[in-house]
Amino acid sequence: MSLDLAHFTPFASLAGGLMIGAAAALLVLGNGRVAGISGIVGTLLQGARAELGGRAWRLAFIAGLAAAPWLWRLVCGAGSSALSPTIDASPATLVVAGLLVGLGTRYASGCTSGHGVCGIARGSLRSLAATGAFMAAGFVTVFAVRHLVGG
């Protein structure tokens, strides 16, 4: 096993992790809500069932997530390699993967941000189990795709 030093970004990764943690903490402290993306988006999609005052902060949160890459481009410049990820998958594969992730969040009653970032920080055993299951499924999937399917 070797370390890919060209793509090793400990400082950027640490900064990103700190920003995710700060955003989750600010949302809990300022709004009393957990930063679970699937719950935030799911409530928005429920339309009339979502309380009117709750829609504004949810829309602002999702807008912030969507705007982050463009803000990063402004700060770091258009030539940053972090802004040019390559995804070696067909659109159909991405749609199926997205649907499977959505199905998994329904079964787990939350997503990696809700369970992995917020739930574990609150000491939730259910979140610890869910995050362990997310990670194990990811490890098995990567192993299968790279070594068994012929990726």
Side-chain angles (χ1 to χ4, degrees), residues 33-51:
R33 303 291 183 146
V34 171
I37 307 306
S38 63
I40 292 170
V41 172
T43 302
L44 278 175
L45 294 177
Q46 290 175 351
R49 290 184 51 195
E51 71 275 13

Side-chain angles (χ1 to χ4, degrees), residues 37-121:
I37 307 306
S38 63
I40 292 170
V41 172
T43 302
L44 278 175
L45 294 177
Q46 290 175 351
R49 290 184 51 195
E51 71 275 13
L52 186 59
R55 292 181 62 83
W57 74 263
R58 286 179 172 88
L59 286 169
F61 193 91
I62 299 303
L65 288 176
W70 286 284
L71 180 60
W72 180 262
R73 183 176 293 254
L74 280 172
V75 172
C76 294
S80 175
S81 63
L83 298 174
S84 304
T86 56
I87 300 173
D88 296 326
S90 70
T93 299
L94 295 175
V95 168
V96 169
L99 290 172
L100 288 172
V101 168
L103 183 65
T105 62
R106 295 298 293 174
Y107 280 129
S109 297
C111 57
T112 53
S113 58
H115 283 301
V117 175
C118 301
I120 290 177

